[in-house]
Amino acid sequence: MIRPDGLVAKEETRLNRDRYPLRMDLQLFAGEKTEKATPKKRDEARNKGQVAKSPEIASSLILIAVLSVMLMLGSFFRERVFGLFADVFRNELTMEITDANVFAMFAKYALQMLLLLAPILIATLIVALAASYAQIGWLFTTETLKPHFNKLNPLTGVKNLFGTRSVVEFLKSSLKLTAVGLVVYMVIWAERDRIMALAHVPMEDVFSFAASLTMRLALLVGALLFALAIGDYYYQKYEYEKSLRMSKQDIKDEFKNAEGDPLIKGKIKERQRRMALMRMMQEVPKADVIITNPTHFAVALQYDGTKMDAPRVIAKGQDYLALRIREIAKANDVVTMENKPLARALFERTEVGDVVPADLFQAVAEVLAYVYRLKGRRKA
């Protein structure tokens, strides 16, 4: 009987777990997102507009700021409002109704309304920017403006509607509503005697008491909402860090993408090293002399008085590489000379392409002089 492929795969997985339980557990653990996000992933998330931010902080601070401005500039607002309404009854009731007069009237009143609301608008803008900067710093991105059509998926919408985040938001809203209701109830209950006595006081005192009570309630509610917003900010930060967590495999993959696969990098370095050796070996036939140890080291020197200020090392090697240098030198009739101290000093103190150190000039000059005399005899 032939089993389906899915059953075969499940059976193989079970057998592998039975044979190699530790290896399978390590593979599963490597896939769990238990590691903190790397700086690269944090930067990518920030560039996409994904940051830990609570809008409740800005809204509560804006409420407090607007109420504070109204308390400090109460006389300014009262004079502007009274002047606006008084101007209508004093100057505009007898106005001739024409297009020009109507447009001029609306322009004048629009300017006065703008001047009236300017302190509130400025305070709102400053507080909103300050609250955003305190949470996430300076950030400008257009990623959040791009349309995401996957959000239109009804299945995703239903999942989000009954997800954990929706439950948390419902609990937050319930907590805010309950807290605000308690504050309002306690303040009004404390003022119940004065509220009952309002029927026996002048209308001006009624309006004054109502305004004072409303402002006090608004400030208390704003302070309460700000305290709740601080807790919401830390919760948003926790959720943000949780969403950025990475598995060990994710970190390895990111390192490979950023730095390159270590195997590929190793192969590239090996090929570069091989090509460098090939170029070095191609320079050996141009050498004037090969100084050897005699078997462990070999250093090839070249000197051209018309182009060089000092002899130059064009190739060097140890053990097998030294043997190859000697073989190439022998095949190309390059003089090989044994000088153990000089060969070791040149090998340890110079690199391919370097000139001979100044303190070794004398020893190298003697070797080159001997080589030139030997080449002269050969030519003769």
Side-chain angles (χ1 to χ4, degrees), residues 15-42:
L15 292 175
N16 289 332
R17 177 174 288 278
D18 293 339
R19 294 174 184 173
Y20 313 106
L22 181 59
R23 183 186 303 175
M24 296 294 291
D25 292 340
L26 288 175
Q27 290 177 353
L28 291 174
F29 178 74
E32 295 180 358
K33 297 184 181 297
T34 57
E35 306 300 318
K36 291 184 177 181
T38 59
K40 182 175 182 295
K41 184 169 184 180
R42 291 181 183 276

mmCIF file of all heavy atoms in Angstrom, residues 15-42:
data_model
loop_
_atom_site.group_PDB
_atom_site.id
_atom_site.type_symbol
_atom_site.label_atom_id
_atom_site.label_comp_id
_atom_site.label_asym_id
_atom_site.label_seq_id
_atom_site.Cartn_x
_atom_site.Cartn_y
_atom_site.Cartn_z
ATOM 1 N N LEU A 15 10.188 10.068 12.820
ATOM 2 C CA LEU A 15 11.374 9.226 12.966
ATOM 3 C C LEU A 15 12.617 10.064 13.262
ATOM 4 O O LEU A 15 13.452 9.687 14.093
ATOM 5 C CB LEU A 15 11.580 8.395 11.693
ATOM 6 C CG LEU A 15 10.528 7.316 11.423
ATOM 7 C CD1 LEU A 15 10.777 6.645 10.075
ATOM 8 C CD2 LEU A 15 10.538 6.261 12.539
ATOM 9 N N ASN A 16 12.742 11.212 12.587
ATOM 10 C CA ASN A 16 13.894 12.082 12.849
ATOM 11 C C ASN A 16 13.890 12.592 14.276
ATOM 12 O O ASN A 16 14.928 12.703 14.918
ATOM 13 C CB ASN A 16 13.906 13.254 11.867
ATOM 14 C CG ASN A 16 14.272 12.812 10.455
ATOM 15 O OD1 ASN A 16 14.984 11.823 10.291
ATOM 16 N ND2 ASN A 16 13.792 13.558 9.465
ATOM 17 N N ARG A 17 12.678 12.918 14.774
ATOM 18 C CA ARG A 17 12.607 13.391 16.164
ATOM 19 C C ARG A 17 12.981 12.278 17.139
ATOM 20 O O ARG A 17 13.618 12.526 18.169
ATOM 21 C CB ARG A 17 11.205 13.920 16.452
ATOM 22 C CG ARG A 17 11.005 14.371 17.888
ATOM 23 C CD ARG A 17 9.659 15.025 18.083
ATOM 24 N NE ARG A 17 9.599 16.325 17.461
ATOM 25 C CZ ARG A 17 10.081 17.431 18.020
ATOM 26 N NH1 ARG A 17 10.654 17.365 19.212
ATOM 27 N NH2 ARG A 17 9.979 18.565 17.406
ATOM 28 N N ASP A 18 12.558 11.047 16.823
ATOM 29 C CA ASP A 18 12.916 9.935 17.696
ATOM 30 C C ASP A 18 14.418 9.654 17.657
ATOM 31 O O ASP A 18 15.032 9.325 18.678
ATOM 32 C CB ASP A 18 12.146 8.676 17.283
ATOM 33 C CG ASP A 18 10.642 8.837 17.532
ATOM 34 O OD1 ASP A 18 10.290 9.708 18.365
ATOM 35 O OD2 ASP A 18 9.857 8.110 16.899
ATOM 36 N N ARG A 19 15.031 9.818 16.460
ATOM 37 C CA ARG A 19 16.456 9.516 16.342
ATOM 38 C C ARG A 19 17.326 10.649 16.867
ATOM 39 O O ARG A 19 18.326 10.421 17.546
ATOM 40 C CB ARG A 19 16.801 9.251 14.874
ATOM 41 C CG ARG A 19 16.158 7.999 14.298
ATOM 42 C CD ARG A 19 16.446 7.914 12.798
ATOM 43 N NE ARG A 19 15.768 6.777 12.189
ATOM 44 C CZ ARG A 19 15.741 6.536 10.879
ATOM 45 N NH1 ARG A 19 16.358 7.377 10.053
ATOM 46 N NH2 ARG A 19 15.092 5.488 10.390
ATOM 47 N N TYR A 20 16.941 11.882 16.520
ATOM 48 C CA TYR A 20 17.768 13.026 16.883
ATOM 49 C C TYR A 20 16.926 14.053 17.638
ATOM 50 O O TYR A 20 16.614 15.129 17.119
ATOM 51 C CB TYR A 20 18.377 13.680 15.629
ATOM 52 C CG TYR A 20 18.989 12.697 14.665
ATOM 53 C CD1 TYR A 20 18.349 12.394 13.459
ATOM 54 C CD2 TYR A 20 20.196 12.071 14.957
ATOM 55 C CE1 TYR A 20 18.898 11.504 12.567
ATOM 56 C CE2 TYR A 20 20.758 11.175 14.064
ATOM 57 C CZ TYR A 20 20.110 10.899 12.870
ATOM 58 O OH TYR A 20 20.655 10.029 11.985
ATOM 59 N N PRO A 21 16.514 13.756 18.857
ATOM 60 C CA PRO A 21 15.627 14.690 19.573
ATOM 61 C C PRO A 21 16.300 16.019 19.861
ATOM 62 O O PRO A 21 15.684 17.071 19.770
ATOM 63 C CB PRO A 21 15.299 13.934 20.867
ATOM 64 C CG PRO A 21 16.431 12.961 21.036
ATOM 65 C CD PRO A 21 16.843 12.562 19.654
ATOM 66 N N LEU A 22 17.593 16.005 20.211
ATOM 67 C CA LEU A 22 18.276 17.248 20.550
ATOM 68 C C LEU A 22 18.406 18.150 19.330
ATOM 69 O O LEU A 22 18.186 19.364 19.399
ATOM 70 C CB LEU A 22 19.654 16.939 21.130
ATOM 71 C CG LEU A 22 20.503 18.157 21.557
ATOM 72 C CD1 LEU A 22 19.756 18.961 22.606
ATOM 73 C CD2 LEU A 22 21.862 17.713 22.077
ATOM 74 N N ARG A 23 18.717 17.554 18.161
ATOM 75 C CA ARG A 23 18.867 18.345 16.946
ATOM 76 C C ARG A 23 17.538 18.980 16.562
ATOM 77 O O ARG A 23 17.478 20.151 16.190
ATOM 78 C CB ARG A 23 19.381 17.458 15.815
ATOM 79 C CG ARG A 23 19.642 18.224 14.521
ATOM 80 C CD ARG A 23 19.995 17.276 13.403
ATOM 81 N NE ARG A 23 21.141 16.457 13.730
ATOM 82 C CZ ARG A 23 21.597 15.461 12.946
ATOM 83 N NH1 ARG A 23 20.964 15.183 11.801
ATOM 84 N NH2 ARG A 23 22.654 14.771 13.305
ATOM 85 N N MET A 24 16.457 18.243 16.635
ATOM 86 C CA MET A 24 15.147 18.784 16.273
ATOM 87 C C MET A 24 14.732 19.892 17.237
ATOM 88 O O MET A 24 14.180 20.909 16.829
ATOM 89 C CB MET A 24 14.099 17.669 16.272
ATOM 90 C CG MET A 24 14.341 16.588 15.235
ATOM 91 S SD MET A 24 14.174 17.207 13.551
ATOM 92 C CE MET A 24 12.417 17.505 13.501
ATOM 93 N N ASP A 25 15.019 19.711 18.533
ATOM 94 C CA ASP A 25 14.672 20.751 19.502
ATOM 95 C C ASP A 25 15.461 22.025 19.246
ATOM 96 O O ASP A 25 14.943 23.134 19.364
ATOM 97 C CB ASP A 25 14.939 20.252 20.928
ATOM 98 C CG ASP A 25 13.969 19.141 21.321
ATOM 99 O OD1 ASP A 25 12.908 19.044 20.665
ATOM 100 O OD2 ASP A 25 14.268 18.383 22.257
ATOM 101 N N LEU A 26 16.740 21.864 18.870
ATOM 102 C CA LEU A 26 17.558 23.034 18.565
ATOM 103 C C LEU A 26 17.042 23.753 17.333
ATOM 104 O O LEU A 26 17.037 24.985 17.266
ATOM 105 C CB LEU A 26 19.021 22.620 18.360
ATOM 106 C CG LEU A 26 19.773 22.199 19.626
ATOM 107 C CD1 LEU A 26 21.166 21.699 19.249
ATOM 108 C CD2 LEU A 26 19.865 23.340 20.621
ATOM 109 N N GLN A 27 16.592 23.010 16.325
ATOM 110 C CA GLN A 27 16.039 23.636 15.125
ATOM 111 C C GLN A 27 14.771 24.416 15.452
ATOM 112 O O GLN A 27 14.561 25.525 14.958
ATOM 113 C CB GLN A 27 15.752 22.577 14.064
ATOM 114 C CG GLN A 27 17.012 21.964 13.463
ATOM 115 C CD GLN A 27 16.697 20.869 12.484
ATOM 116 O OE1 GLN A 27 15.535 20.476 12.335
ATOM 117 N NE2 GLN A 27 17.723 20.327 11.838
ATOM 118 N N LEU A 28 13.913 23.836 16.293
ATOM 119 C CA LEU A 28 12.694 24.535 16.671
ATOM 120 C C LEU A 28 13.019 25.779 17.487
ATOM 121 O O LEU A 28 12.413 26.839 17.318
ATOM 122 C CB LEU A 28 11.784 23.600 17.481
ATOM 123 C CG LEU A 28 11.153 22.443 16.698
ATOM 124 C CD1 LEU A 28 10.400 21.533 17.640
ATOM 125 C CD2 LEU A 28 10.231 22.970 15.605
ATOM 126 N N PHE A 29 14.029 25.659 18.386
ATOM 127 C CA PHE A 29 14.408 26.809 19.209
ATOM 128 C C PHE A 29 15.003 27.921 18.357
ATOM 129 O O PHE A 29 14.787 29.100 18.619
ATOM 130 C CB PHE A 29 15.415 26.361 20.272
ATOM 131 C CG PHE A 29 15.899 27.483 21.139
ATOM 132 C CD1 PHE A 29 15.080 28.034 22.107
ATOM 133 C CD2 PHE A 29 17.166 28.017 20.971
ATOM 134 C CE1 PHE A 29 15.514 29.084 22.902
ATOM 135 C CE2 PHE A 29 17.608 29.057 21.755
ATOM 136 C CZ PHE A 29 16.782 29.582 22.736
ATOM 137 N N ALA A 30 15.745 27.538 17.304
ATOM 138 C CA ALA A 30 16.350 28.543 16.434
ATOM 139 C C ALA A 30 15.300 29.344 15.680
ATOM 140 O O ALA A 30 15.530 30.480 15.291
ATOM 141 C CB ALA A 30 17.304 27.884 15.443
ATOM 142 N N GLY A 31 14.113 28.743 15.477
ATOM 143 C CA GLY A 31 13.056 29.455 14.769
ATOM 144 C C GLY A 31 12.223 30.344 15.668
ATOM 145 O O GLY A 31 11.413 31.129 15.179
ATOM 146 N N GLU A 32 12.356 30.254 16.997
ATOM 147 C CA GLU A 32 11.596 31.090 17.916
ATOM 148 C C GLU A 32 12.203 32.486 17.964
ATOM 149 O O GLU A 32 13.419 32.654 17.976
ATOM 150 C CB GLU A 32 11.589 30.472 19.314
ATOM 151 C CG GLU A 32 10.853 29.141 19.381
ATOM 152 C CD GLU A 32 10.862 28.562 20.778
ATOM 153 O OE1 GLU A 32 11.484 29.198 21.658
ATOM 154 O OE2 GLU A 32 10.270 27.497 20.987
ATOM 155 N N LYS A 33 11.341 33.484 18.016
ATOM 156 C CA LYS A 33 11.805 34.873 18.037
ATOM 157 C C LYS A 33 12.071 35.275 19.485
ATOM 158 O O LYS A 33 11.204 35.833 20.164
ATOM 159 C CB LYS A 33 10.765 35.774 17.381
ATOM 160 C CG LYS A 33 10.538 35.450 15.913
ATOM 161 C CD LYS A 33 9.576 36.415 15.267
ATOM 162 C CE LYS A 33 9.339 36.054 13.814
ATOM 163 N NZ LYS A 33 10.570 36.150 13.008
ATOM 164 N N THR A 34 13.264 34.984 19.939
ATOM 165 C CA THR A 34 13.660 35.244 21.324
ATOM 166 C C THR A 34 14.743 36.303 21.445
ATOM 167 O O THR A 34 15.051 36.728 22.558
ATOM 168 C CB THR A 34 14.160 33.951 21.974
ATOM 169 O OG1 THR A 34 15.248 33.416 21.187
ATOM 170 C CG2 THR A 34 13.055 32.901 22.041
ATOM 171 N N GLU A 35 15.319 36.735 20.330
ATOM 172 C CA GLU A 35 16.443 37.666 20.371
ATOM 173 C C GLU A 35 15.960 39.100 20.118
ATOM 174 O O GLU A 35 14.981 39.327 19.414
ATOM 175 C CB GLU A 35 17.491 37.288 19.317
ATOM 176 C CG GLU A 35 17.960 35.849 19.418
ATOM 177 C CD GLU A 35 18.596 35.538 20.753
ATOM 178 O OE1 GLU A 35 19.377 36.386 21.234
ATOM 179 O OE2 GLU A 35 18.319 34.466 21.326
ATOM 180 N N LYS A 36 16.671 40.050 20.710
ATOM 181 C CA LYS A 36 16.361 41.455 20.474
ATOM 182 C C LYS A 36 16.693 41.835 19.034
ATOM 183 O O LYS A 36 17.579 41.267 18.423
ATOM 184 C CB LYS A 36 17.149 42.345 21.438
ATOM 185 C CG LYS A 36 16.689 42.224 22.880
ATOM 186 C CD LYS A 36 17.433 43.205 23.758
ATOM 187 C CE LYS A 36 16.924 43.146 25.200
ATOM 188 N NZ LYS A 36 17.641 44.123 26.060
ATOM 189 N N ALA A 37 15.976 42.810 18.535
ATOM 190 C CA ALA A 37 16.181 43.240 17.150
ATOM 191 C C ALA A 37 17.555 43.884 16.980
ATOM 192 O O ALA A 37 18.065 44.556 17.889
ATOM 193 C CB ALA A 37 15.091 44.231 16.740
ATOM 194 N N THR A 38 18.143 43.665 15.831
ATOM 195 C CA THR A 38 19.433 44.263 15.509
ATOM 196 C C THR A 38 19.243 45.727 15.110
ATOM 197 O O THR A 38 18.139 46.137 14.751
ATOM 198 C CB THR A 38 20.102 43.497 14.363
ATOM 199 O OG1 THR A 38 19.233 43.532 13.210
ATOM 200 C CG2 THR A 38 20.329 42.043 14.748
ATOM 201 N N PRO A 39 20.307 46.536 15.177
ATOM 202 C CA PRO A 39 20.184 47.938 14.751
ATOM 203 C C PRO A 39 19.688 48.074 13.318
ATOM 204 O O PRO A 39 18.942 49.013 13.007
ATOM 205 C CB PRO A 39 21.612 48.468 14.914
ATOM 206 C CG PRO A 39 22.216 47.613 15.982
ATOM 207 C CD PRO A 39 21.619 46.258 15.774
ATOM 208 N N LYS A 40 20.079 47.149 12.447
ATOM 209 C CA LYS A 40 19.646 47.230 11.048
ATOM 210 C C LYS A 40 18.131 47.072 10.942
ATOM 211 O O LYS A 40 17.461 47.823 10.226
ATOM 212 C CB LYS A 40 20.351 46.148 10.229
ATOM 213 C CG LYS A 40 20.007 46.162 8.740
ATOM 214 C CD LYS A 40 20.840 45.130 7.994
ATOM 215 C CE LYS A 40 20.539 45.176 6.496
ATOM 216 N NZ LYS A 40 19.168 44.796 6.189
ATOM 217 N N LYS A 41 17.573 46.104 11.663
ATOM 218 C CA LYS A 41 16.123 45.902 11.597
ATOM 219 C C LYS A 41 15.386 47.072 12.236
ATOM 220 O O LYS A 41 14.317 47.480 11.766
ATOM 221 C CB LYS A 41 15.745 44.597 12.295
ATOM 222 C CG LYS A 41 14.253 44.287 12.163
ATOM 223 C CD LYS A 41 13.911 42.889 12.598
ATOM 224 C CE LYS A 41 12.428 42.594 12.366
ATOM 225 N NZ LYS A 41 12.060 41.237 12.773
ATOM 226 N N ARG A 42 15.951 47.649 13.294
ATOM 227 C CA ARG A 42 15.314 48.807 13.918
ATOM 228 C C ARG A 42 15.281 49.990 12.947
ATOM 229 O O ARG A 42 14.275 50.705 12.860
ATOM 230 C CB ARG A 42 16.064 49.196 15.195
ATOM 231 C CG ARG A 42 15.923 48.182 16.325
ATOM 232 C CD ARG A 42 16.674 48.631 17.564
ATOM 233 N NE ARG A 42 16.598 47.644 18.605
ATOM 234 C CZ ARG A 42 15.586 47.518 19.460
ATOM 235 N NH1 ARG A 42 14.557 48.354 19.383
ATOM 236 N NH2 ARG A 42 15.590 46.582 20.393
#
